[in-house]
Amino acid sequence: MNTAPASAPEPAPQPAKADAPRWLTAEEQRVWRSYRHATTLLEDHLDRQLQRDAGMPHIYYGLLVKLAEAPQYRLRMTELAMDAKITRSRLSHAIARLEKNGWVRREDCPSDKRGQFAVLTDQGLQVLRRTAPGHVTAVRQALFDRLTPEQQKSLGEIMQIVAEGLQPNEAGADLPWLR
C-alpha cells in the first residue's frame, strides 16, 4: 500500500518535489482503509457462500457466469482471462478444476491451432442455476440492502470512474491476461 502508517504523524507541508509522494490526508486514509476493509470482507463473504453452496470460489462462479452469458456458452480462453483480469496460467488452472467437476470443457479453435474455447456444459449450467439464487441473496444482503437507492447510484458511478481510469488502453500495457 502507498499509505503512511496509522501512528505516523502527518508530514508537515513541504515545498512539492517532483518525485515526492503525495501522502494521503487523514480523511483520504480513512476512506482508503474503509474501502480495503469492506472489499476484503465482501469478497470473503461471497467466497464462503459459494464454497458452502457450490464448492467453488467466487472467481470460478464469475467464469461460469461469463460463459453462461456468451453465445453458445463458449468463449475464447484469452477473452475469458481478459474479462476475469487474470493471467492465462491462472485461468488454465481454474478451467482445469471446472473441467474436473464436469462444469466446463475445452475445445480447440478450428481457425487458430493455438487457440482454445472454454465451453459451459449442461452440468455447469445446472450448477450455476442452482447456485445463483443464494449468490444473489448474499450480494443483496451484503451490499445493496445496506445502501439507499441514491448511495447505490453513487457507488456505481464512482466504481465506473475508477474502473475507466485503471483500464489500460495503451499498446504494450502489462496486462495479466497477456502473461
Side-chain angles (χ1 to χ4, degrees), residues 76 107-117:
R76 294 281 302 246
E107 292 180 357
D108 291 331
C109 178
S111 63
D112 177 3
K113 297 285 186 203
R114 294 180 356 179
Q116 284 192 320
F117 288 97

CSV table of all heavy atoms in Angstrom, one decimal, residues 76 107-117:
chain,number,residue,atom,x,y,z
A,76,ARG,N,-13.5,-17.7,-26.1
A,76,ARG,CA,-12.0,-17.9,-26.2
A,76,ARG,C,-11.4,-17.8,-24.9
A,76,ARG,O,-11.8,-17.0,-24.1
A,76,ARG,CB,-11.4,-16.9,-27.2
A,76,ARG,CG,-11.8,-17.0,-28.6
A,76,ARG,CD,-11.1,-18.1,-29.4
A,76,ARG,NE,-9.6,-18.0,-29.4
A,76,ARG,CZ,-8.9,-17.8,-30.4
A,76,ARG,NH1,-9.4,-17.6,-31.6
A,76,ARG,NH2,-7.6,-17.8,-30.3
A,107,GLU,N,-12.4,-26.8,-26.0
A,107,GLU,CA,-12.5,-27.2,-27.4
A,107,GLU,C,-11.4,-26.4,-28.1
A,107,GLU,O,-11.2,-25.2,-27.9
A,107,GLU,CB,-13.8,-26.8,-28.0
A,107,GLU,CG,-15.0,-27.7,-27.4
A,107,GLU,CD,-16.3,-27.3,-28.1
A,107,GLU,OE1,-16.4,-26.4,-28.9
A,107,GLU,OE2,-17.3,-28.0,-27.7
A,108,ASP,N,-10.8,-27.1,-29.0
A,108,ASP,CA,-9.8,-26.4,-29.9
A,108,ASP,C,-10.5,-25.4,-30.8
A,108,ASP,O,-11.6,-25.7,-31.3
A,108,ASP,CB,-8.9,-27.4,-30.7
A,108,ASP,CG,-8.0,-28.2,-29.8
A,108,ASP,OD1,-7.6,-27.7,-28.7
A,108,ASP,OD2,-7.7,-29.4,-30.1
A,109,CYS,N,-9.8,-24.4,-31.1
A,109,CYS,CA,-10.3,-23.4,-32.1
A,109,CYS,C,-10.0,-23.8,-33.5
A,109,CYS,O,-8.8,-24.0,-33.8
A,109,CYS,CB,-9.7,-22.0,-31.8
A,109,CYS,SG,-10.3,-20.7,-32.9
A,110,PRO,N,-11.0,-24.0,-34.3
A,110,PRO,CA,-10.7,-24.5,-35.7
A,110,PRO,C,-9.9,-23.5,-36.6
A,110,PRO,O,-9.2,-23.9,-37.4
A,110,PRO,CB,-12.1,-24.8,-36.3
A,110,PRO,CG,-13.0,-24.1,-35.4
A,110,PRO,CD,-12.4,-23.9,-34.1
A,111,SER,N,-10.0,-22.2,-36.3
A,111,SER,CA,-9.3,-21.2,-37.1
A,111,SER,C,-8.0,-20.8,-36.6
A,111,SER,O,-7.3,-20.1,-37.2
A,111,SER,CB,-10.2,-20.0,-37.3
A,111,SER,OG,-10.4,-19.4,-36.0
A,112,ASP,N,-7.6,-21.3,-35.4
A,112,ASP,CA,-6.4,-20.9,-34.7
A,112,ASP,C,-5.9,-22.1,-34.0
A,112,ASP,O,-6.4,-22.5,-32.9
A,112,ASP,CB,-6.6,-19.7,-33.8
A,112,ASP,CG,-5.4,-19.3,-33.1
A,112,ASP,OD1,-4.3,-19.9,-33.3
A,112,ASP,OD2,-5.5,-18.4,-32.2
A,113,LYS,N,-4.8,-22.8,-34.5
A,113,LYS,CA,-4.3,-24.0,-33.9
A,113,LYS,C,-3.9,-23.9,-32.4
A,113,LYS,O,-4.0,-24.8,-31.6
A,113,LYS,CB,-3.1,-24.6,-34.7
A,113,LYS,CG,-3.5,-24.9,-36.1
A,113,LYS,CD,-4.2,-26.2,-36.1
A,113,LYS,CE,-4.4,-26.7,-37.6
A,113,LYS,NZ,-5.5,-27.5,-37.7
A,114,ARG,N,-3.5,-22.7,-32.0
A,114,ARG,CA,-3.1,-22.4,-30.6
A,114,ARG,C,-4.2,-22.0,-29.7
A,114,ARG,O,-4.1,-22.1,-28.5
A,114,ARG,CB,-2.0,-21.4,-30.6
A,114,ARG,CG,-0.7,-21.8,-31.3
A,114,ARG,CD,0.4,-20.8,-31.2
A,114,ARG,NE,0.0,-19.5,-30.6
A,114,ARG,CZ,0.8,-18.5,-30.5
A,114,ARG,NH1,2.0,-18.5,-30.9
A,114,ARG,NH2,0.4,-17.4,-29.9
A,115,GLY,N,-5.3,-21.6,-30.3
A,115,GLY,CA,-6.4,-21.1,-29.5
A,115,GLY,C,-7.3,-22.2,-29.0
A,115,GLY,O,-7.5,-23.3,-29.6
A,116,GLN,N,-8.0,-21.9,-27.9
A,116,GLN,CA,-9.0,-22.8,-27.3
A,116,GLN,C,-10.2,-22.0,-26.8
A,116,GLN,O,-10.1,-20.9,-26.5
A,116,GLN,CB,-8.4,-23.6,-26.1
A,116,GLN,CG,-7.4,-24.7,-26.4
A,116,GLN,CD,-7.1,-25.5,-25.2
A,116,GLN,OE1,-7.0,-25.0,-24.1
A,116,GLN,NE2,-7.1,-26.8,-25.4
A,117,PHE,N,-11.3,-22.7,-26.8
A,117,PHE,CA,-12.5,-22.2,-26.2
A,117,PHE,C,-12.8,-22.9,-24.9
A,117,PHE,O,-12.4,-24.1,-24.7
A,117,PHE,CB,-13.7,-22.5,-27.1
A,117,PHE,CG,-13.8,-21.7,-28.4
A,117,PHE,CD1,-13.3,-22.3,-29.6
A,117,PHE,CD2,-14.3,-20.5,-28.4
A,117,PHE,CE1,-13.4,-21.6,-30.8
A,117,PHE,CE2,-14.4,-19.7,-29.6
A,117,PHE,CZ,-13.9,-20.3,-30.8
